[in-house]
Amino acid sequence: MASRQRSSRLRRTLLAALVTASVAVPVSGAARPTAVPAPVPAELGPLTATPAALDARYAANRAGIRAAERMAAGHGDRRRAAALRTMAGPARHFLSFDGRDGGRTAEVFGDLAHAGRIAVLVPGSDTGLETYGRFRDGAVALQHEMGDRSAVIAWLGYETPGTVSPTVLTPGRAEDGARQLTSFIRELSATLPRSPSTAPRISLVCHSYGSVVCGRAAPSGLRVADIILYGSPGTGADTAGQLHTRATVWAGRGTHDWIADLPHGRLPLLSTTIGFGADPMSKEFGARIFDAGDTDHSHYLRPGSVSLRNIARIATASADPAAATHPGGRRA
């Protein structure tokens, strides 16, 4: 009886959230800049992680960003043009860039050719070219915290949902993102040394809706050591085991993160599903829990924060009892 009551409450809560998002989306969606024209990106060929090949790739993408800037300016979108002008700076290093349909990018921080530890940062909702600065700031802070011989790739490889939209409650965008993320990690892995003694350690660092993307990509056999979920609404699975990955699955949530108040579960509705399954912080899910301090939903990678320090410890394989406990546990 109690189980049926909980299921009924979950159904009502998820449906209420969907209705609210559906009513709000005409307002939020109207401002979402996905219609700004951009050129078709140049064909770059397979990724090669040697210094010379990377320099050539960075230069080609810098030219593509400048072309997109000119097109955005001609369209009259000053905000997009200003964002692209900043991204085209000589010190910026993009493995890929596509300015169409909201934008797709992969930017490198650190020396990828010689990195021993690589963190691939996967963003959540409302991340695009106009809001890219905050995503970049987190990547810069993480690479700095990880230290020498590390690299962070800020991977914006899918169309993120709006925070207030029906898409943020359903897995559609995550399924597309997972396909793109799987392809990217496989390409990255293929160009790195294959010997276990020399191959860089790769970690997925997945924020908010980005953890749904990582959850969808996890069963595809990715060569990653860790999947780090933070500020997560769920992964689409009820247990870490259902992700079918050899990677260690970690989860952390700040004490001031509003996402803790979201209902957890899945509700089939027509041709889709609302919700993302079990809370990754729950004992039943079985992730290794790390201390994320008192951060809120948007500041896990703030310099000096407990959450940033512990995410970097995990990505560099230097996690200790201050960062994590046994699966499903809490820091004492």
Side-chain angles (χ1 to χ4, degrees), residues 33 40 58 101 104 130 139 145 153-154 169 175 193 210 223-224 259 261 282 286 297 300 324 327 332:
V40 177
Y58 297 154
D101 193 25
R104 309 284 191 278
E130 282 75 15
E145 189 71 27
I153 301 174
L169 302 172
E175 289 167 358
R223 290 173 55 195
V224 298
I259 211 161
D261 298 323
S282 67
H297 191 66
Y300 283 88

Side-chain angles (χ1 to χ4, degrees), residues 182 185-186 189 216-224 243-246:
T182 297
I185 295 296
R186 285 178 175 167
S189 298
R216 285 289 194 274
S220 60
L222 299 181
R223 290 173 55 195
V224 298
L243 296 179
H244 301 292
T245 176
R246 295 182 180 180

Side-chain angles (χ1 to χ4, degrees), residues 144-169:
H144 183 266
E145 189 71 27
M146 289 174 64
D148 296 338
R149 293 201 69 244
S150 71
V152 173
I153 301 174
W155 181 84
L156 175 57
Y158 76 111
E159 183 181 359
T160 66
T163 299
V164 184
S165 70
T167 53
V168 82
L169 302 172

Side-chain angles (χ1 to χ4, degrees), residues 13-289:
T13 303
L14 289 173
L15 284 174
L18 180 64
V19 170
T20 300
S22 298
V23 170
V25 71
V27 177
S28 63
R32 193 163 172 81
T34 57
V36 182
V40 177
E43 185 64 47
L44 297 177
L47 174 64
T48 304
T50 63
L54 287 172
D55 285 345
R57 195 176 186 96
Y58 297 154
N61 282 312
R62 194 172 298 120
I65 295 169
R66 288 173 177 153
E69 177 202 341
R70 292 190 294 270
M71 190 170 286
H75 185 69
D77 194 315
R78 296 179 181 178
R79 186 182 179 194
R80 171 69 66 87
L84 292 170
R85 193 174 308 117
T86 300
M87 294 173 78
R92 305 291 289 271
H93 298 145
F94 286 88
L95 288 176
S96 61
F97 174 82
D98 185 345
R100 299 171 298 174
D101 193 25
R104 309 284 191 278
T105 67
E107 185 174 10
V108 175
F109 303 88
D111 184 355
L112 182 61
H114 300 104
R117 291 93 46 139
I118 301 170
V120 178
L121 199 56
V122 182
S125 60
D126 281 327
T127 306
L129 296 184
E130 282 75 15
T131 60
Y132 185 81
R134 68 189 184 194
F135 183 43
R136 179 182 187 274
D137 289 346
V140 170
L142 180 58
Q143 195 276 327
H144 183 266
E145 189 71 27
M146 289 174 64
D148 296 338
R149 293 201 69 244
S150 71
V152 173
I153 301 174
W155 181 84
L156 175 57
Y158 76 111
E159 183 181 359
T160 66
T163 299
V164 184
S165 70
T167 53
V168 82
L169 302 172
T170 62
R173 297 284 176 87
E175 289 167 358
D176 175 66
R179 287 190 291 270
Q180 302 303 323
L181 179 60
T182 297
S183 176
F184 175 76
I185 295 296
R186 285 178 175 167
E187 183 179 20
L188 178 65
S189 298
T191 194
L192 298 172
R194 289 187 172 273
S195 167
S197 62
T198 59
R201 176 189 180 88
I202 302 175
S203 298
L204 293 181
V205 183
C206 318
H207 179 233
S208 193
Y209 190 88
S211 63
V212 189
V213 176
C214 291
R216 285 289 194 274
S220 60
L222 299 181
R223 290 173 55 195
V224 298
D226 302 287
I227 298 176
I228 307 168
L229 313 171
Y230 61 107
S232 174
T235 62
D238 290 325
T239 68
Q242 289 179 3
L243 296 179
H244 301 292
T245 176
R246 295 182 180 180
T248 301
V249 180
W250 300 78
R253 184 164 62 217
T255 57
H256 296 303
D257 191 340
W258 55 262
I259 211 161
D261 298 323
L262 290 183
H264 290 278
R266 288 187 300 275
L267 174 63
L269 183 67
L270 301 177
S271 60
T272 189
T273 302
I274 308 172
F276 305 113
D279 182 356
M281 295 292 291
S282 67
K283 182 177 181 179
E284 294 75 17
F285 187 78
R288 293 201 68 177
I289 303 301

